Amino acid sequence: MTTTSPNARALAALGHDARLSIFRLLVKAGSDGLRVSDIGDHLGLAPSTLAHHLSTLVDAGLVLQDKQGREVFNRVDFPAMHALVGFLTSECCVGVAIRASEDAA
């Protein structure tokens, strides 16, 4: 299955336990973000595994990376996160009209 819309890509990226844990940790860290090594230490992920999952979150537009010297800091793209939550809740409780189906005779 190919996900083409930004919302579908973001939700697909969050649909893995490791990536969801990384994302939630970065949300807790706030706008300062965390170094790659700090994320790995906190979650107990191997560097190669962590790099793969971070790449997926970056490609999905949910995480931003900033290189500062030899360190790479990762932080949530909060406007993108809010846009995704807004997409999910934009039509909350507006109701759904059910159309009657024709009876097969």
Side-chain angles (χ1 to χ4, degrees), residues 16-83:
H16 187 282
D17 285 335
R19 289 191 291 270
L20 187 57
S21 295
I22 293 165
F23 188 76
R24 293 191 72 211
L25 179 65
L26 290 173
V27 168
K28 289 178 189 177
S31 59
D32 290 339
L34 292 170
R35 295 178 302 176
V36 173
S37 59
D38 293 334
I39 297 168
D41 291 345
H42 198 71
L43 297 177
L45 295 172
S48 61
T49 301
L50 180 56
H52 165 74
H53 289 307
L54 282 170
S55 175
T56 301
L57 291 168
V58 169
D59 290 344
L62 293 170
V63 170
L64 302 170
Q65 292 184 318
D66 298 311
K67 188 164 183 160
Q68 297 177 12
R70 292 177 16 178
E71 298 286 349
V72 177
F73 282 81
N74 298 271
R75 60 187 169 80
V76 170
D77 184 337
F78 285 102
M81 181 190 77
H82 290 297

Side-chain angles (χ1 to χ4, degrees), residues 6-8 10-12 14 23 62 80-94:
N7 291 320
L11 291 168
L14 293 172
F23 188 76
L62 293 170
M81 181 190 77
H82 290 297
L84 181 62
V85 171
F87 166 75
L88 291 173
T89 60
S90 66
E91 296 183 29
C92 179
C93 308
V94 297

